[in-house]
Amino acid sequence: MTNPLLDTPSSELPAFDRIRPEHVSPAVDELLAQAGTALERAVGPDVAADYDAMSAVLDVATERLGRSWGAVGHLNHVADTPELRAAYNENLPKVTEFYTRLGADERLYAKYKAIAASPAAEKLNPARRKALSNAMRDFVLSGAELQGAAKERFAQIQERAAELSQKYSEHVLDATDKFALYATEEQLAGVPADSKAAARAAAQAEGKDGYKITLHFPSYFPVMQYGTHRETRRQLYTAYATRASELGDAERDNSALMTEILQLRQEEAELLGYKSFAELSLVPKMADSPQQVVDFLRDLARRARPFAEKDLQELRDFAAKELGLADLQAWDVAFASEKLKEARYAFSDQEVKQYFTEPKVLEGLFRIIETLFEVAIRPDTAPLWNPDVRFFRVERGGELIAQFYLDPYARQGKRPGAWMDDVRGRWQRPEGGLQTPVAHLVCNFAPPVGDKPALLTHDDVNTLFHEFGHGLHHMLTQVADLGVSGISGVEWDAVELPSQFMENFAWEWEVVQRLTAHVDTGEPLPRALFDKMMAAKNFQSGMATLRQVEFALFDMRIHSEADAPGRIQKVLDEVREEVAVLIPPAFNRFQHAFSHIFAGGYSAGYYSYKWAEVLSADAWSAFEEAGVFDTETGRRLRREILEAGGSRPAMESFKAFRGREPQIDALLRHQGMAG
């Protein structure tokens, strides 16, 4: 029997349509054996302490392993089944053990030290020098200098932490998938027709009456935003806010997992000589210390607080006077906010949504990218894991420079949220030939209903532009060294710069005209409606800023304070008391589904969103000065930031583009909080 995880040549794309759970273990065992053999060769006397020689032996084997395991991990995220999950979990410890061993191998570390100390190192190009410098740092952070029992314990921590994070993620997905409310017509009063049609179709597919509402965001949020039936909103909010907790689903309670994850991270940091995991996490980032991050967040909270207090008071006054909600509750906030926005600005998100049909938005987005970054985007073919997935190629001057998969819609077995991931990086392969980058762009939009195209909210449009920003950072790189091409090697607190930068286009009239065509008439969005959207752009931006600060400060504190693992809820309560204006109900268990920090890459790094927003807002102000479609400014952004990837420090790339260090003024101005 052929195995697509083993048989697909490095020059070809993963055979996603043929990968089966039974292929995973044989492929992983074979690829781990090959990588292990390559490691022994690389540290042996036959391979010189030379960058190219080491890469030809070790990188080829580990990149192949990473690519195949990445394909399995991707399917685990977007096409989860009990069989695939079992295969993934069976092999996760083996893969984790190998990468832990690789990163901590003293012999390999010694060889890289010899490369760094050799005269040849001075002759390496800047990208390779940066890759080598990063590798030296990462050996230390991976425990290469630990000895004996400490080294053994470090490896145990890595394996257990990977297992716990995967389990945490599974609990969130299962809790989200498990819940269903079969609602009546009365319970969905006020909910838009397209959302009701999708809920009706979901119920009919199961042979049931009524409307099926789930906790997947495209199903859940329209009810919270538009539904007039308060008890239904309360029921849904309670289910959503208690996912994967002792209050919502005792079988899938993440409480103990969070505690152990934090304990293990603290122990890992201490083994490596750091006071806290937050300190360890910041070593490869732009920020210098946890205190600097906390000061940054508190300063932002101080600036935003007067605006947030005004936002909340206006909302409470409106809810009491116009909606009869004298005791505004958490499950009323989205509903009352939408009603207030409609009353103040005379439009609704639902009205706007009719103009943003997915095909038109994609066409407009592609044209922007093509114009600004001097590329062409064309449909392409590749094996796919779902019929809704599409595949594209990016060319310049007729030459292929990158490709990407787009998986736009929410469905059972697909993790919530939106993300970009790499399939493979740009690499001048040691055996010859330039490997072009390939990206995954994944969203969870409401799928089309009937014969009409999918409709996107303006928030969905922002999300799509955001993920494409990450994708462009990965795909437009001109660096050909694996460790620093695309998003590889970019400081985590700068990696959001291109993604947040791209969101600005969705607020430009010149752009919006190209993105819109009414689902029934084909007419573009009227200028009068756009002007109302612009007037409402910073609606409740003070509250939104404090909410992000709340998440980031909670993240930094639980990774900085030694006693935090035993008082996670208490820390969150303290943070809310300090910065929030709107305190959630006592039963809210937000942290139990905070996958970014417990099962993603944002542990002691969630602040990156606000940190990078300072960079992205300042970068956008260059386009405000020169013109949104100014080719020269677009070319400069492409060359100095997107193409440079991780080949130099992010601050150097920013200064090369902007001519100076970033300033916070543009962010405050863009969010209506200047002065």
Side-chain angles (χ1 to χ4, degrees), residues 268-340:
E268 175 188 347
E270 289 172 3
L271 281 171
L272 294 173
Y274 294 92
K275 281 193 297 188
S276 68
F277 184 80
E279 275 193 6
L280 170 61
S281 170
L282 293 182
V283 173
K285 296 185 171 85
M286 288 178 78
D288 295 325
S289 68
Q291 191 58 51
Q292 183 191 14
V293 172
V294 168
D295 290 346
F296 164 74
L297 293 170
R298 286 182 170 144
D299 178 56
L300 197 54
R302 179 184 58 78
R303 293 169 187 258
R305 190 170 193 87
F307 298 93
E309 287 172 342
K310 182 168 174 279
D311 290 341
L312 182 58
Q313 193 56 53
E314 288 174 349
L315 183 63
R316 284 194 167 131
D317 291 347
F318 177 84
K321 185 180 174 187
E322 304 296 334
L323 304 175
L325 296 171
D327 60 332
L328 187 76
Q329 298 293 329
W331 46 90
D332 302 322
V333 171
F335 172 72
S337 296
E338 178 61 25
K339 292 295 183 197
L340 172 57

Side-chain angles (χ1 to χ4, degrees), residues 209-280:
D209 295 329
Y211 302 85
K212 182 183 180 184
I213 304 298
T214 73
L215 298 182
H216 286 279
F217 209 71
S219 176
Y220 164 81
F221 195 65
V223 184
M224 302 305 296
Q225 190 176 17
Y226 297 104
T228 58
H229 197 275
R230 195 181 191 196
E231 175 55 26
T232 300
R233 295 201 309 268
R234 186 199 64 76
Q235 192 178 346
L236 284 171
Y237 174 87
T238 304
Y240 193 84
T242 57
R243 284 178 303 161
S245 77
E246 79 285 6
L247 299 179
D249 189 346
E251 280 181 49
R252 301 177 179 86
D253 180 10
N254 274 338
S255 301
L257 299 185
M258 292 188 295
T259 298
E260 190 178 350
I261 286 169
L262 292 179
Q263 288 169 337
L264 291 174
R265 287 174 180 170
Q266 177 63 25
E267 187 181 353
E268 175 188 347
E270 289 172 3
L271 281 171
L272 294 173
Y274 294 92
K275 281 193 297 188
S276 68
F277 184 80
E279 275 193 6
L280 170 61

